[in-house]
Amino acid sequence: MTNGTKGDGSYEDHVDRLRRQWALELPDLDTEPMAILGRAFRLSNLVRPSIEATFAGFGLDRGEFDVIATLRRSGPPYRLTPTEMYSALMISSGGLTHRLDRLEKAGLIRREKSPRDGRSVLVALSEAGAALAEKAFRTDMASESSFLQALDGKEREALAVLLRKLIAGIENEQAQGEDENGG
């Protein structure tokens, strides 16, 4: 159907069309993973421009927002070590340093000597950084909420439960693999 619905009244999306094409080309191949993982990838690609535009409206890119948001949600006194930061953000220490340099120049964070170890540095969120993180996050959540309007509350809850189960299973499997490989 061209109006986005299938003959049974359900909706057809981009992934349905891709799976249908593959079924014609490789009829022996089960494309069920695309039904879930392909849709997760497609969903991410569809919402990313809006999320990035939200943060750009606050003078931030997504990586910069991630840094100040990580500090803000860490709770008072809104300070973390660089190691805690790049572990939470899952980026390299070099990538973090570049972001910290930009945020420090903008007055959103400070680098402070650790009171416990003068050789160590802590990354502290400034008052301006805390205010910006909160305002940007509130705006982002309002924007992202609008994407969920096609689902009612029970559907959103069910989807969240299933996605949590899927992600936890993948994370556990990867952690076991890292343990087995000495990582």
Side-chain angles (χ1 to χ4, degrees), residues 71 74-81 84-85 110 112 115 122-125:
L71 288 164
S74 73
Y78 309 114
R79 287 191 309 231
L80 296 171
T81 68
E84 291 168 327
M85 296 282 306
R110 295 180 307 279
E112 303 174 345
L122 293 173
V123 179
L125 193 59

Side-chain angles (χ1 to χ4, degrees), residues 68-163:
I68 64 172
T70 297
L71 288 164
R72 178 63 177 87
R73 71 174 179 264
S74 73
Y78 309 114
R79 287 191 309 231
L80 296 171
T81 68
T83 301
E84 291 168 327
M85 296 282 306
Y86 72 76
S87 294
L89 294 166
M90 296 181 294
I91 60 171
S92 70
S93 59
L96 177 61
T97 299
H98 184 65
R99 290 177 187 174
L100 294 179
D101 289 345
R102 292 191 316 249
L103 292 167
E104 190 171 36
K105 285 178 187 166
L108 301 175
I109 60 115
R110 295 180 307 279
R111 290 179 174 118
E112 303 174 345
K113 286 188 178 182
S114 171
R116 293 186 196 145
D117 178 0
R119 296 169 295 163
S120 298
V121 173
L122 293 173
V123 179
L125 193 59
S126 69
E127 284 186 38
L132 186 64
E134 182 176 339
K135 191 171 182 181
F137 185 62
R138 287 181 182 279
T139 302
D140 179 51
M141 287 296 95
S143 174
E144 287 186 34
S145 182
S146 71
F147 291 122
L148 302 177
Q149 297 307 307
L151 303 175
D152 66 31
K154 287 187 185 289
E155 289 170 326
R156 289 191 300 267
E157 185 177 330
L159 181 57
V161 167
L162 292 172
L163 289 171

